[in-house]
Amino acid sequence: MAKPHHKSKLRDLMAGYSFMSPAIVILGCFLLLPIAYSIFLSFHRVNLLGTVSYKFTGTANFERMLDDPRLWIALRNTFKYALIVVPSQTLLAIVLASILNMKLRYRNFFRVAFYLPTVTSSAVLVLIFMWIYNSNGLLNFMLEAVGLPTYNWLGDPSVALLGIMIMNIWSTAPLFMVIYLAALQDIPETLYEAAEIDGASGWQKFWRITLPQLKPVTFYVIVMGIIGTFQLFDQSYIFSAGSGGPNNATLTMVLLIYQYAFKSLDMGYASALAFLLAVVIMLITVVQRLIFKEERLN
């Protein structure tokens, strides 16, 4: 009796893996193997010109990070970017979702209008904002029209990164707004009705009911926001023409990795930097997981 049961179990197991095999092959080829190869490169000095060669250097690439001033600039810019953009876009998404969840007139139109920046190409958005920030662009034109002095928004290191932040908040918040909007519609109306019977104000209902119910979604939004901000590349690349300027003001971790990998052809050190970035993102995610303990519920 045990053998037929064992054969049936084995047959079911093989059938399951056969159905999963396409996904396993794709993930293995395009996710696991590149990760393993990148870790391998981080311990080598790689020569890609002429005959490809690998020279094992141990932890030399990781030790080199300590004396790389551009790495610390990129880390500072990336952390600064994340600390401002993630809370701002999360708060804006909650506010927009709460407004559009009300029974307003033409709310479907506003939902579509607010979501449009998300479906627009990132490169196109950057070019539009570069035109706005240009010395002869829309922003300076408006300042000049009301008698205020104009400014070199793209050339000043103190405001160049801020310009990218504003653009990213404006274009990313609508995506999270849709996620929050779906979560708001899942909150039972009976909770608000019971709170209203108890005499709760609108702010009390929002603070005591809405926000706690949105904690799992907020955890997801913040994690995705952190990952997205730490992977900032295209906006910074287009804004600075790949240099990270002015004066390294828009240099981010991914742009620095790109420069070492494809401009300096230093694949070993670039892979080590990519490994460092992955570790930083994972550590931040773990910390957020500990903060949002309620996310494990339901």
Side-chain angles (χ1 to χ4, degrees):
M1 293 295 293
K3 286 185 177 180
H5 177 71
H6 178 72
K7 289 182 178 180
S8 175
K9 200 171 182 180
L10 181 62
R11 188 166 53 248
D12 291 341
L13 187 66
M14 295 301 295
Y17 277 111
S18 64
F19 283 116
M20 291 169 57
S21 58
I24 292 174
V25 170
I26 292 173
L27 288 175
C29 292
F30 297 102
L31 182 65
L32 299 179
L33 283 180
I35 291 174
Y37 185 57
S38 178
I39 295 173
F40 169 80
L41 290 180
S42 65
F43 293 98
H44 291 77
R45 181 181 297 159
V46 186
N47 179 25
L48 296 178
L49 297 178
T51 303
V52 178
S53 63
Y54 304 95
K55 181 181 179 182
F56 181 74
T57 57
T59 59
N61 286 323
F62 296 95
E63 295 171 4
R64 178 180 165 188
M65 296 178 188
L66 299 174
D67 299 321
D68 188 353
R70 299 188 75 234
L71 168 61
W72 299 108
I73 293 173
L75 278 173
R76 185 189 64 203
N77 290 341
T78 304
F79 272 102
K80 179 182 177 182
Y81 182 86
L83 286 173
I84 295 176
V85 171
V86 173
S88 300
Q89 69 186 12
T90 303
L91 180 61
L92 181 60
I94 292 175
V95 171
L96 290 176
S98 300
I99 293 173
L100 294 179
N101 194 45
M102 299 177 183
K103 296 178 181 179
L104 300 174
R105 196 176 184 185
Y106 306 120
R107 65 176 179 176
N108 289 334
F109 167 77
F110 287 111
R111 287 177 182 178
V112 174
F114 288 164
Y115 189 72
L116 283 178
T118 301
V119 298
T120 306
S121 168
S122 177
V124 172
L125 286 176
V126 174
L127 293 176
I128 292 173
F129 272 82
M130 286 183 69
W131 170 71
I132 293 173
Y133 294 141
N134 196 282
S135 298
N136 299 320
L138 179 62
L139 184 55
N140 278 342
F141 174 78
M142 294 174 65
L143 292 174
E144 193 174 12
V146 296
L148 295 175
T150 58
Y151 199 75
N152 183 15
W153 304 100
L154 296 178
D156 188 347
S158 62
V159 297
L161 186 62
L162 180 62
I164 301 179
M165 291 178 186
I166 294 172
M167 184 204 70
N168 213 321
I169 293 169
W170 178 77
S171 62
T172 310
L175 173 62
F176 297 135
M177 174 199 74
V178 173
I179 298 173
Y180 273 119
L181 188 58
L184 284 170
Q185 293 174 354
D186 284 340
I187 299 176
E189 284 292 331
T190 53
L191 296 177
Y192 295 105
E193 292 171 0
E196 195 168 343
I197 292 173
D198 290 338
S201 63
W203 171 252
Q204 288 175 326
K205 286 189 286 186
F206 180 78
W207 186 258
R208 298 290 184 179
I209 298 175
T210 304
L211 287 183
Q213 291 289 321
L214 292 178
K215 262 194 173 181
V217 179
T218 302
F219 172 80
Y220 170 79
V221 167
I222 292 178
V223 169
M224 296 305 295
I226 289 285
I227 293 174
T229 52
F230 270 81
Q231 292 178 341
L232 175 70
F233 171 73
D234 48 350
Q235 296 97 326
S236 180
Y237 180 88
I238 299 173
F239 257 92
S240 64
S243 67
N247 195 25
N248 292 325
T250 59
L251 182 66
T252 62
M253 276 297 297
V254 180
L255 180 57
L256 182 67
I257 293 169
Y258 167 82
Q259 290 178 349
Y260 277 117
F262 300 105
K263 287 190 175 182
S264 303
L265 297 179
D266 194 348
M267 286 291 180
Y269 186 54
S271 297
L273 290 176
F275 183 78
L276 172 66
L277 179 61
V279 170
V280 169
I281 292 175
M282 285 190 290
L283 287 176
I284 293 175
T285 304
V286 169
V287 171
Q288 288 175 312
R289 180 82 177 188
L290 294 175
I291 294 174
F292 288 84
K293 290 182 180 178
E294 287 80 3
E295 190 270 339
R296 298 176 185 174
L297 299 177
N298 300 326

